[in-house]
Structure formats: C-alpha cells, structure tokens
Amino acid sequence: MRQYVKKGTDLKRIKNEDITFAQARINHWFKKYLGVKHPAVIFKEMALAA
C-alpha cells in the first residue's frame, strides 16, 4: 500500500475507490514466488479446491 498511500496517512481519509484500485493492482501483479501467477488466481484456485 505504500506505493499508493503515504506512510502515516490516516486510512479513514482515503476513499474506498482508491483502496479498491490499489487492492486490484496488488492482487494482479505477477509474483515470481507464486510461479509467475497472480495472487488472485492462486486464491481462486485454492477456494475452488476446498
């Protein structure tokens, strides 16, 4: 979140749309440690397996 919100910022003052945007960006970055998959894809696969 530091890329989107400065350290020390009161999160109560951040718009929900801004948080949703940052969340979507973070969850759709490729991650090397996940075998170059998106965290959202891994979560979906785990949820379907349960």
Side-chain angles (χ1 to χ4, degrees), residues 22-47:
Q23 178 184 2
R25 294 284 308 254
I26 291 167
N27 284 333
H28 289 92
W29 278 334
F30 289 106
K31 305 291 184 192
K32 258 187 176 176
Y33 63 87
L34 294 176
V36 193
K37 291 185 180 181
H38 302 286
V41 172
I42 298 294
F43 180 79
K44 186 176 180 180
E45 289 173 356
M46 292 178 72

Side-chain angles (χ1 to χ4, degrees), residues 1-9 11 14 18-19 21-31:
M1 289 294 291
R2 292 271 185 254
Q3 294 175 337
Y4 303 98
V5 180
K6 285 184 180 180
K7 184 177 181 179
T9 301
L11 292 180
I14 305 297
D18 295 333
I19 293 173
F21 173 78
Q23 178 184 2
R25 294 284 308 254
I26 291 167
N27 284 333
H28 289 92
W29 278 334
F30 289 106
K31 305 291 184 192

